Amino acid sequence: MTSQSTRTTYRQIAVAFVVFRLVAFFSASPLAFAKAGDTGTVSAAATSARLEQFPPQQFLDLTNAVRQTYGVLPLTLDDQLNAAAQAKAQDMVDKGYWAHFRPGDNKAPWDFISEAGYSYHVAGENLAKGFRSPEGITQAWVASPTHLANLVSPKYSNVGYASVMSTDSDGSSVLLTVEMFGHK
């Protein structure tokens, strides 16, 4: 076996191990996550509050653990991206939508990033809805090829997070999470 194929095999084993541990430990988490074009709604009259028990550092640690298994440099938290993620999460609550692009005017994730003062070269976004923990959210993102692509993309160097509790259209409480990526 060549050195390259050995490294590839070890990387695949490491990724499988991380995913297996996350799935086994948090199997009670819902398995719904953001999909491109999802137009689910959130009640415009919803209440929200930042969830201090899910600090951005906790998401960052999980994200960087995934990136490490793929041999990608770690991300650093950025206050402007945290502010952009918070603004996007609050906008979804206030305007009653759950999507990457705001219905009506198609406001894009990168608009929130620019408005927060982050001058990006590249930018991206992951969304999650209905999870109970950062581990469950990260597990779902890892299980989704498009979300995983953002998580492990070497083109990003910074990240920001926000989790907001809201009320879904059926009146039940729901957690919305926004992850904003960028590179200046």
Side-chain angles (χ1 to χ4, degrees):
M1 191 179 278
T2 68
S3 176
Q4 179 64 26
S5 64
T6 302
R7 278 192 296 253
T8 300
T9 301
Y10 284 132
R11 183 176 294 155
Q12 290 170 339
I13 291 169
V15 169
F17 178 74
V18 168
V19 170
F20 175 76
R21 285 194 61 197
L22 287 171
V23 169
F25 190 73
F26 296 100
S27 61
S29 297
L31 294 178
F33 46 87
K35 295 179 182 169
D38 192 328
T39 57
T41 60
V42 176
S43 170
T47 58
S48 67
R50 185 166 175 92
L51 299 177
E52 295 305 326
Q53 70 266 34
F54 296 163
Q57 185 65 47
Q58 192 172 2
F59 283 105
L60 178 68
D61 292 344
L62 292 164
T63 297
N64 281 338
V66 172
R67 289 175 68 86
Q68 183 178 6
T69 65
Y70 281 84
V72 182
L73 292 174
L75 298 172
T76 57
L77 278 177
D78 184 272
D79 290 339
Q80 292 171 324
L81 289 176
N82 282 337
Q86 184 65 35
K88 171 67 181 279
Q90 192 62 51
D91 189 68
M92 288 191 295
V93 170
D94 293 345
K95 305 252 184 330
Y97 71 97
W98 184 65
H100 292 289
F101 293 86
R102 183 168 63 197
D105 65 359
N106 265 346
K107 184 171 183 174
W110 18 98
D111 295 330
F112 290 94
I113 292 170
S114 293
E115 289 169 2
Y118 187 93
S119 298
Y120 65 90
H121 177 68
V122 292
E125 175 185 68
N126 280 347
L127 300 177
K129 178 180 176 184
F131 292 88
R132 297 182 194 129
S133 70
E135 293 84 1
I137 293 164
T138 304
Q139 171 191 335
W141 285 336
V142 167
S144 164
T146 56
H147 294 88
L148 178 61
N150 270 342
L151 283 175
V152 300
S153 175
K155 65 185 176 184
Y156 300 129
S157 57
N158 305 117
V159 68
Y161 303 92
S163 292
V164 175
M165 187 60 76
S166 184
T167 305
D168 212 347
S169 57
D170 67 359
S172 62
S173 293
V174 63
L175 179 67
L176 305 178
T177 302
V178 178
E179 179 179 46
M180 296 282 198
F181 298 94
H183 179 75
K184 294 181 179 182

